[in-house]
Amino acid sequence: MFRDVKKIVKNSIFVLISIIISCLVMINNISYAQTQNTQSSLRHLVSAEKVEAAGGQQYNQIIYQAKQKGILLDNRNDMYIRINKISQRLIKNIGNINPRAKNWIWEINVLNDSQTNAFCMPGGKIVVYSGIIDKLNLTDAEIAVVLSHEISHALQEHAREQMAKQQLTNVGASLISNILGLRDIGNIALKAGAGLLSLKFSRDDETDADLIGLDISARAGYDPRASIVLWKKMIKIAGDNKALQWVSTHPVGKNRIKILEQKLPELMPIFTKINPVLAHKKYISNNKDIPDVE
């Protein structure tokens, strides 16, 4: 009798664990089939106001620290003027991807820092590190690709959705950990596993940001073919390591470039209407090791 009860309890635990793990996988796949112009309802688990406020706080902290270090570029600086001009053109062409964006107070700042980085916080706070411009020798069109990608993340509320997913996966990890008596050690291991489940979702976000960002860039009058040269430059400095395709939130290398190339026939007519002269010429690479783009 006792053995039967013990067996039932044991089987029930495994069934419960299986249900929870299935839920985690389902969370990962909720937005798998979403199209470029739709957003997963999962993001509604966290308020946009909360995410934008958190983004604003982090942005203010970064700017404060930059001022303390003396690396915040003045608005009279040539690089700042260049980045601000490109950003303003992009912002004017964001369309109706996110209705909240019309009320965002956009800010653009440039840091004199060797990091190859740039981001746009929820709420429209843009930061560009000079390192990404200098190390990659970016043209204006290539800068526009980088910035429109980051702006697209903010417009599509990817940070908000990731926060919601993280909350759900943490709940699932805690439940399994408590059932198995793993306590903190179990939570750490299971949360790590939950993070791996989220990686595919994150790569989907990156692809969406690439494609929608490139659309914004083309409508702002920047050559979408610049995206091909940009990512070839990225491969050159980072290496096209296949392992990164799994552990990184960015689709890297040839796979990313292939997706962008497939988008060009749709975007080139948009760019051609704005700048027919440049559109009928090759996109000229300023890197001798990277060919021009027809």
Side-chain angles (χ1 to χ4, degrees), residues 36 200 203-204 206-212 214 224 227-228 231 245 250-267:
Q36 288 183 27
K200 174 57 183 168
R203 289 197 295 270
D204 288 343
E206 286 295 321
T207 299
D208 283 347
D210 272 353
L211 299 181
I212 293 177
L214 205 55
S227 62
I228 309 304
W231 284 103
Q245 188 70 20
H250 288 72
V252 298
K254 295 178 181 178
N255 183 52
R256 187 170 201 154
I257 291 173
K258 183 179 179 180
I259 293 171
L260 293 169
E261 286 175 335
Q262 292 171 345
K263 186 73 172 178
L264 289 182
E266 178 185 334
L267 296 179

Side-chain angles (χ1 to χ4, degrees), residues 65-167:
Q65 292 174 348
K67 287 179 179 178
Q68 295 296 105
K69 295 177 182 178
I71 61 172
L72 183 68
L73 294 187
D74 184 278
N75 60 10
R76 294 167 294 181
N77 180 277
D78 288 343
M79 183 176 287
Y80 172 85
I81 293 171
R82 183 185 180 197
I83 299 299
N84 184 64
K85 180 180 178 181
I86 296 168
S87 299
Q88 295 298 343
R89 280 177 61 177
L90 294 172
I91 292 167
K92 289 178 181 178
N93 286 275
I94 60 175
N96 296 314
I97 297 172
N98 185 339
R100 292 183 60 83
K102 65 182 180 182
N103 296 319
W104 286 356
I105 301 174
W106 292 85
E107 294 184 34
I108 300 109
N109 273 293
V110 183
L111 308 187
N112 185 22
D113 189 295
S114 62
Q115 292 185 56
T116 53
N117 196 17
F119 58 82
C120 179
M121 288 286 189
K125 312 302 183 187
I126 298 171
V127 174
V128 179
Y129 293 76
S130 61
I132 195 169
I133 312 296
D134 296 333
K135 289 181 182 178
L136 296 175
N137 190 24
L138 297 183
T139 65
D140 283 6
E142 290 159 12
I143 293 172
V145 173
V146 173
L147 293 179
S148 61
H149 172 94
E150 298 304 325
I151 289 171
S152 180
H153 274 309
L155 293 172
Q156 295 184 89
E157 299 186 321
H158 287 157
R160 181 183 176 190
E161 192 161 347
Q162 287 294 345
M163 286 176 66
K165 285 186 66 177
Q166 190 61 53
Q167 287 186 14

